[in-house]
Amino acid sequence: LDFNLLSSRSFVTAIEQNFDPRGRFQCAKFPLYDEIKSILVTLYGQYCERINTEEETATERLDCVGMYAMYVLYRHLLPPNIVPDAKLHKSLWSVFPVMCPVMELYGPLYFIPREFMMSYAPYKAVKGCSADIPEIRSGAAAMVIKWNGSFKARVAKIRLDTLRWIAMADSDLSPTVPESHSRTRNEHDDEDMHVNSLASSVASIEAATSTILQGMKIAHSASILLHSQLAAHRALRLNYDADHIPSLMSLMEVLKSIEKLLIVRRRSAVLSFQRSTLKMIASNILKKFDKVRSFVDQCSSSTDFSRNSERARSITRLSACLTALEGVLKGTASFSCIRRHSIAFSIAACMDTMILEVFSTDDLLAVEGYLKDLSQISSIEETLKQVCDCSFLYFYRDLFPECVSRLYQSNLN
């Protein structure tokens, strides 16, 4: 791995750049800054599209912070005779900061996008994309105060969704008792019962998996809202509204309720459905490549197959990639992060123009969806532990007396 990194074109070009502060720039063999800009535009767009939607997880906002660091790298790599991309700068200034003016990195460390850009990559030539630090903080504070008006309503919706979900999860994830059959069965009855049982089993697995993922979505929403509300007020030195304390406590209750149900009370059921679902997803991916395997085997056994031709080398490479893919998909139902990446790399290696005859765009989109599902299902417990972790409240311990007072008052009432 180290050798591959050192010999890669991007790494060698990066370490050979002349970052002379006097402005001299040693031209690279290829424009590294263009490659970084292309990656930056693609990833930034993907992350921003998911923010404030049902598909958002706990990582998109933090990933966007990395995009701003990548933009600073792009600006530093840019030769002095090339003008920075004004459209990209304007997008970084106006899209993510409007959705998330303040981002908590860890504890008392916060990230303010526009402030970061003015400090490390200013571009005053772009109209409307420059401001003083006090002006940036004032604008961010105005947005946070505006959002305070709908905070209680948003929390109430999350709480209601959680109550509905808990009732549904208790039913879908409860142990099932097989039905007894007292009548005499013949061979056809056994076959029909087996088919019906299989269909019922698949349906129950899909329903349970959907319920688990729905709970994780609610947990993500509660965690993001709790983090953003506390971080924004602390970073911008705004006072907490006393009426919002019960809502903040409700978000904590939501997180701990979901964690307790999925990781403690229904843990065995979650693990059982998780293993079954992962096997189904792996089987679905293999089925999508059945036609590709048949195509490769047919080409290999054809009479006009010449091993020295370019087509023969492609067929051999495809056969090796398919074998690797089948090897990592079959076997145990445990899909670690390394194994999931191996699956993705094997699939990427199989993507050759030659297989377009039997592998359509719809098949590719379906496989991408399966890979996404595989990642979500295989990391349920790790994701829940991360999302439902409330240890960050240590840095907001000044709210503890008020929370205790509210609890005491609620008990009295």
Side-chain angles (χ1 to χ4, degrees), residues 82-94:
I82 295 182
V83 178
D85 191 325
K87 186 177 180 180
L88 173 60
H89 187 91
K90 191 169 186 178
S91 176
L92 290 165
W93 181 271
S94 58

Side-chain angles (χ1 to χ4, degrees), residues 139-356:
M143 282 191 282
V144 172
I145 292 172
K146 181 181 178 181
W147 293 338
N148 280 343
S150 61
F151 176 68
K152 294 173 70 174
R154 285 180 286 164
V155 173
K157 182 180 182 302
I158 291 176
R159 184 178 176 83
L160 182 60
D161 290 342
T162 305
L163 292 174
R164 291 172 179 167
W165 175 82
I166 289 175
M168 181 174 61
D170 265 332
S171 173
D172 291 346
L173 302 179
S174 61
T176 56
V177 179
E179 296 181 1
S180 60
H181 298 273
S182 57
R183 65 183 182 87
T184 305
R185 301 191 301 259
N186 56 31
E187 187 176 339
H188 294 290
D189 290 334
D190 289 338
E191 184 178 351
D192 292 341
M193 188 179 69
H194 175 71
V195 173
N196 293 334
S197 176
L198 186 62
S200 176
S201 176
V202 172
S204 64
I205 291 173
E206 291 178 348
T209 304
S210 176
T211 300
I212 294 170
L213 293 179
Q214 181 63 27
M216 293 175 65
K217 282 184 179 181
I218 296 173
H220 277 298
S221 299
S223 177
I224 291 168
L225 185 54
L226 179 61
H227 276 81
S228 60
Q229 185 73 7
L230 291 174
H233 284 74
R234 179 59 56 83
L236 300 172
R237 298 183 179 180
L238 298 173
N239 294 325
Y240 295 104
D241 191 339
D243 292 338
H244 288 171
I245 298 298
S247 297
L248 292 171
M249 295 173 64
S250 293
L251 292 175
M252 302 173 202
E253 292 171 2
V254 165
L255 292 174
K256 289 304 165 184
S257 298
I258 294 174
E259 182 184 35
K260 184 177 180 180
L261 193 148
L262 292 179
I263 296 184
V264 181
R265 290 176 53 208
R266 294 288 185 258
R267 176 180 171 80
S268 58
V270 170
L271 291 177
S272 176
F273 285 119
Q274 182 184 34
R275 287 190 291 268
S276 302
T277 304
L278 289 174
K279 288 181 179 179
M280 286 175 55
I281 295 173
S283 175
N284 289 335
I285 295 176
L286 281 174
K287 287 178 182 178
K288 288 296 180 182
F289 283 90
D290 281 346
K291 292 181 181 179
V292 180
R293 169 55 76 182
S294 300
F295 172 75
V296 169
D297 292 343
Q298 183 180 359
C299 291
S300 300
S301 60
S302 61
T303 55
D304 58 342
F305 184 76
S306 175
R307 297 190 177 277
N308 296 324
S309 64
E310 184 65 30
R311 180 180 176 84
R313 285 192 289 270
S314 297
I315 290 295
T316 303
R317 180 178 59 82
L318 276 173
S319 179
C321 294
L322 284 172
T323 302
L325 177 62
E326 291 162 357
V328 291
L329 283 173
K330 294 177 180 178
T332 64
S334 174
F335 288 85
S336 63
C337 184
I338 295 177
R339 190 176 177 187
R340 296 197 303 270
H341 280 86
S342 300
I343 294 170
F345 291 151
S346 300
I347 291 174
C350 292
M351 294 298 105
D352 191 281
T353 54
M354 186 181 299
I355 70 170
L356 293 179

